[in-house]
Amino acid sequence: MFDLVWLIPLCPLIGSVINGLFGKKIKNETVIGTIAAGSVFCSFIVACGCLMQLLSLPGEERHFEKTIFTWIGSGNFKADIGFLIDPLSCVMLMVVTGVGFLIHLYSIGYMHGEEGFYRYFCYLNLFTFSMLCLVSGNNLLLMFVGWEGVGLCSYLLIGYYFHKKSAGDAGKKAFVMNRIGDFGFLLGLFTMWWFLGGTHNIWTINFRELASHADLFPVGGVTTVICLCFFLGATGKSAQIPLYTWLPDAMEGPTPVSALIHAATMVTAGVYMIARMNFMYIKSPTALLVVACIGAATALFAATIGTAQNDIKRVLAYSTVSQLGYMFLAMGVGAFGAGVFHLMTHAFFKACLFLGSGSVIHAMHHALHHEHSDADPQDMRNMGGLRKKMPVTFTTFLIATIAIAGIPGFAGFFSKDEILWQAFSNPHHGDANYLLWAAGACAAGLTAFYMFRLVFMTFFGETRLSAKAYGHLHESPWVITVPLVVLAFLSIVGGYLGVPHVLGEALGGIPNLWEHYMDPVFAYSTEYMKHSGAGGEHGSVAMEWGLMGVSVLIACGGIALAWALYIVAPKAPEKFVATFPVLHRAVYNKWYVDEIYDFIVVNPCKAFSNFLWKGFDVVVVDGIVNGVAAIVKGFSGVLRHVQTGMVHNYAFSMVLGVVVIVGCYLFH
């Protein structure tokens, strides 16, 4: 099956080409959707085959490279179109194709009747192709092609409703902010290539070859520069401080786009890149500390904003930013396996939450349309009591919410608890780890609060719709609810792949399958930390149980607070807003970060651009061009009188010329 790995990215590309070229003529939505979803399902089948073959091999042999052809060959440098299959890339392939297929299936129902139906699926397949190239490419250059491809497709999908100014602006914002990060990625790539080639005459960008030369990277110094440049790329793609503001605005795109791009795949590209380059990051304590601090700060900062938002998708958007911060926190403390584990579990429950919100919006739009109401179908203040009308959506949404809150028995508990434990116990950053743990724990409490606030405002209490509109509410069709059920199931069982050792022993010796599975990918980093004295868990078993209990209590506290404020005393939030209007306004307006960026960066850039246009281009450049034209016009105005159009005048001029030439010759 390994030899067929090239089919995994190829199938979605074929689907994109077919729908892009012929979708307008096909017209039939069922055919278009079947082509798009079927192509991704084919990729999923091949990915499953690769995973099964990989699991059949011994741990140290779990890697395979398939070279299709040499892309660039110059001297000692070579870059292939080739694919790498190992435990890390297999996880990403399963997530992208598996969750991606469910979202494609969901989109068939959700996008029914939309203008440009074929265009949407063309973009969605193209995005899937780009993401698969990113996660399966065997070298940095092919990863960068996929990196840029998902950025382009994100722009196209966010701005799908291009007739809306807000959607167009959001697409441009995402594109520009990602380009800032991409500049850092390129700087890191060029610096690494220059260092290895110029210092050691090793001209390679192949991941396995780079890993084999990991000892050549010095501790700190140029390694730190390379890692920080790559991390700048990660902050743009994975929406971390300071390049996170594009992701909440990206909710202007269709809801399935939010689920695929901004929950399960594209935004995890930065996490995947650092995990793939773990052998380099482990050599730079400074870079790891920066990654951990930015991740912890983003997790906490975005969580505070999520507590005051009323748009159901915007709450989930800030939740995504916060959860990505958790993943980077894990990477920064050297817990690469825990970070990728949370990436996988997050893909399950966040995709379920986004698709569940889409089911709610779909039903609300239908109900409000029948009433001819202009109310916002995404505003939770217009909802309430939906669980009675939408039992499947409610149940699956509740399961995913419990998972993200970190309640024991659900996927989010296992992955989030592992990150918090590693942040607290791993002495990679000394006492700073305690502050990192505190930030992560606070973010966990806020996550539980704002997610259950969303559930209570949307599904519980009395409906805030009119009786007529409420009567039109109904459960979504099976093409929407089936993906929700599958993702909700994964949000429960997905975490049992990585049961912590202390909990596994208490439950009768359940092994941590995830850790053993990922060991070959992070073997170098694990050994390096052990030899440097920064590895291992220095906390006791009692301490691990204690921290686990604290994290559960924090999550339960957040849920209890949401219950008290939005079920027991629903007027309390209004009193809080009235008591602390300045604080609420600041949080509701996202701490005015967008306004600060506009003032410091955007508006000065616009003013400078206008100056270059009106002050330099119009006055100087156009002035020079127009001046030259005026001079030519002046001279030609005089000379044009020579052209009379009369033959005898031209004959006289010719004779006169001959006489002058002969005269010059005779009297020379």
Side-chain angles (χ1 to χ4, degrees):
M1 190 62 76
F2 283 160
D3 287 329
L4 299 178
V5 64
W6 53 275
L7 285 174
I8 297 177
L10 181 64
C11 289
L13 179 61
I14 293 173
S16 177
V17 170
I18 293 174
N19 279 330
L21 294 179
F22 308 109
K24 195 171 184 178
K25 295 181 179 178
I26 295 174
K27 295 182 180 179
N28 188 300
E29 290 187 356
T30 302
V31 175
I32 293 171
T34 301
I35 291 171
S39 65
V40 179
F41 184 71
C42 290
S43 297
F44 175 68
I45 294 299
V46 178
C48 288
C50 290
L51 176 63
M52 297 304 294
Q53 186 172 347
L54 192 75
L55 292 174
S56 68
L57 299 173
E60 64 277 4
E61 297 178 14
R62 289 180 178 175
H63 57 83
F64 175 81
E65 285 192 63
K66 175 69 173 180
T67 300
I68 307 302
F69 61 87
T70 298
W71 178 18
I72 300 173
S74 178
N76 294 328
F77 175 71
K78 185 178 74 167
D80 297 323
I81 297 295
F83 303 99
L84 171 63
I85 296 295
D86 69 354
L88 178 58
S89 63
C90 242
V91 167
M92 297 302 294
L93 289 174
M94 293 297 293
V95 168
V96 175
T97 58
V99 177
F101 167 69
L102 293 174
I103 293 172
H104 276 73
L105 181 64
Y106 176 100
S107 296
I108 296 173
Y110 189 86
M111 299 299 290
H112 172 66
E114 288 281 356
E115 183 181 358
F117 187 86
Y118 76 95
R119 176 168 55 89
Y120 168 84
F121 278 103
C122 171
Y123 295 162
L124 211 61
N125 272 170
L126 186 61
F127 167 83
T128 306
F129 160 74
S130 299
M131 190 67 198
L132 291 172
C133 287
L134 190 158
V135 300
S136 63
N138 68 350
N139 63 77
L140 275 164
L141 205 55
L142 187 55
M143 172 190 272
F144 186 69
V145 170
W147 191 276
E148 290 296 288
V150 294
L152 170 63
C153 294
S154 177
Y155 162 76
L156 294 171
L157 287 165
I158 294 169
Y160 174 77
Y161 299 116
F162 56 85
H163 54 277
K164 290 173 56 180
K165 185 179 185 302
S166 57
D169 290 344
K172 288 183 287 186
K173 184 176 183 179
F175 191 81
V176 170
M177 296 197 80
N178 272 271
R179 297 294 76 71
I180 296 171
D182 296 348
F183 177 67
F185 188 108
L186 284 175
L187 283 180
L189 175 59
F190 293 149
T191 305
M192 184 199 69
W193 193 68
W194 162 80
F195 169 73
L196 282 179
T199 307
H200 302 287
N201 197 33
I202 297 173
W203 307 94
T204 184
I205 53 173
N206 179 281
F207 289 125
R208 287 191 57 79
E209 291 176 7
L210 288 172
S212 68
H213 298 303
D215 289 332
L216 299 178
F217 290 98
V219 177
V222 68
T223 306
T224 298
V225 173
I226 295 170
C227 290
L228 290 179
C229 286
F230 277 122
F231 181 57
L232 176 59
T235 60
K237 196 66 69 183
S238 296
Q240 298 295 285
I241 293 174
L243 300 178
Y244 73 92
T245 57
W246 67 268
L247 192 142
D249 289 1
M251 297 302 106
E252 291 289 342
T255 301
V257 171
S258 303
L260 180 63
I261 295 182
H262 309 122
T265 54
M266 172 183 158
V267 291
T268 61
V271 180
Y272 169 77
M273 183 265 291
I274 293 179
R276 176 60 71 195
M277 305 289 287
N278 69 89
F279 55 85
M280 189 182 299
Y281 276 86
I282 204 67
K283 303 292 284 289
S284 176
T286 301
L288 283 180
L289 182 59
V290 170
V291 172
C293 289
I294 293 294
T298 303
L300 183 57
F301 184 75
T304 62
I305 299 175
T307 60
Q309 303 305 305
N310 295 315
D311 184 302
I312 187 171
K313 285 176 65 178
R314 196 165 286 272
V315 174
L316 296 177
Y318 280 105
S319 171
T320 298
V321 176
S322 181
Q323 294 303 307
L324 288 166
Y326 263 105
M327 299 174 205
F328 281 104
L329 171 60
M331 297 292 157
V333 298
F336 300 106
V340 178
F341 186 38
H342 194 57
L343 182 158
M344 182 190 71
T345 60
H346 175 262
F348 298 150
F349 54 70
K350 185 52 65 65
C352 185
L353 290 168
F354 265 115
L355 296 185
S357 73
S359 179
V360 169
I361 294 167
H362 186 268
M364 286 288 295
H365 179 79
H366 175 76
L368 293 171
H369 175 73
H370 276 279
E371 196 184 31
H372 305 289
S373 172
D374 294 329
D376 186 355
Q378 296 183 195
D379 194 325
M380 297 184 297
R381 293 170 296 186
N382 297 328
M383 301 177 189
L386 268 64
R387 74 183 190 280
K388 300 173 184 176
K389 294 286 188 176
M390 308 180 70
V392 177
T393 299
F394 164 68
T395 304
T396 55
F397 200 98
L398 181 62
I399 290 171
T401 302
I402 295 173
I404 195 174
I407 300 302
F410 293 78
F413 163 75
F414 297 103
S415 56
K416 189 180 293 186
D417 182 75
E418 184 68 16
I419 292 173
L420 290 175
W421 168 239
Q422 292 282 357
F424 186 89
S425 65
N426 193 318
H428 207 80
H429 302 308
D431 292 340
N433 276 6
Y434 302 136
L435 294 176
L436 296 173
W437 174 86
C442 290
L446 290 172
T447 299
F449 169 75
Y450 67 68
M451 285 305 305
F452 272 88
R453 169 182 177 264
L454 185 157
V455 169
F456 295 146
M457 289 182 68
T458 303
F459 295 102
F460 284 78
E462 296 298 323
T463 182
R464 289 174 284 278
L465 292 168
S466 68
K468 180 180 177 182
Y470 188 69
H472 283 289
L473 280 174
H474 58 80
E475 186 59 89
S476 299
W478 71 268
V479 75
I480 289 179
T481 56
V482 167
L484 293 178
V485 172
V486 174
L487 289 168
F489 174 74
L490 293 173
S491 298
I492 299 174
V493 304
Y496 289 92
L497 293 173
V499 178
H501 291 291
V502 64
L503 188 59
E505 292 175 2
L507 294 175
I510 298 176
N512 190 323
L513 300 175
W514 181 265
E515 186 176 281
H516 295 305
Y517 172 74
M518 296 301 294
D519 271 345
V521 181
F522 306 122
Y524 180 86
S525 297
T526 303
E527 287 300 314
Y528 182 85
M529 284 194 290
K530 286 181 180 178
H531 287 96
S532 65
E537 297 173 354
H538 292 249
S540 64
V541 172
M543 182 181 292
E544 184 171 358
W545 276 111
L547 288 174
M548 193 181 299
V550 169
S551 67
V552 173
L553 287 175
I554 290 173
C556 291
I559 297 171
L561 181 60
W563 174 268
L565 293 178
Y566 292 93
I567 299 297
V568 178
K571 298 293 183 182
E574 296 178 8
K575 295 179 181 178
F576 179 86
V577 172
T579 307
F580 303 100
V582 176
L583 176 62
H584 175 265
R585 206 159 39 241
V587 178
Y588 180 75
N589 288 293
K590 302 156 286 186
W591 299 109
Y592 298 103
V593 173
D594 279 297
E595 288 77 5
I596 293 171
Y597 281 3
D598 286 344
F599 180 76
I600 296 176
V601 180
V602 178
N603 291 335
C605 284
K606 286 182 178 178
F608 184 62
S609 299
N610 282 326
F611 164 74
L612 292 178
W613 166 38
K614 296 179 180 179
F616 185 76
D617 188 53
V618 173
V619 175
V620 179
V621 177
D622 287 356
I624 293 173
V625 173
N626 293 335
V628 171
I631 293 171
V632 172
K633 181 180 179 181
F635 278 108
S636 62
V638 175
L639 294 175
R640 70 185 177 85
H641 295 294
V642 177
Q643 302 293 328
T644 63
M646 297 181 179
V647 176
H648 63 273
N649 286 346
Y650 299 152
F652 174 76
S653 299
M654 293 173 63
V655 172
L656 182 61
V658 171
V659 170
V660 171
I661 293 172
V662 172
C664 290
Y665 177 76
L666 293 176
F667 296 104
H668 184 266

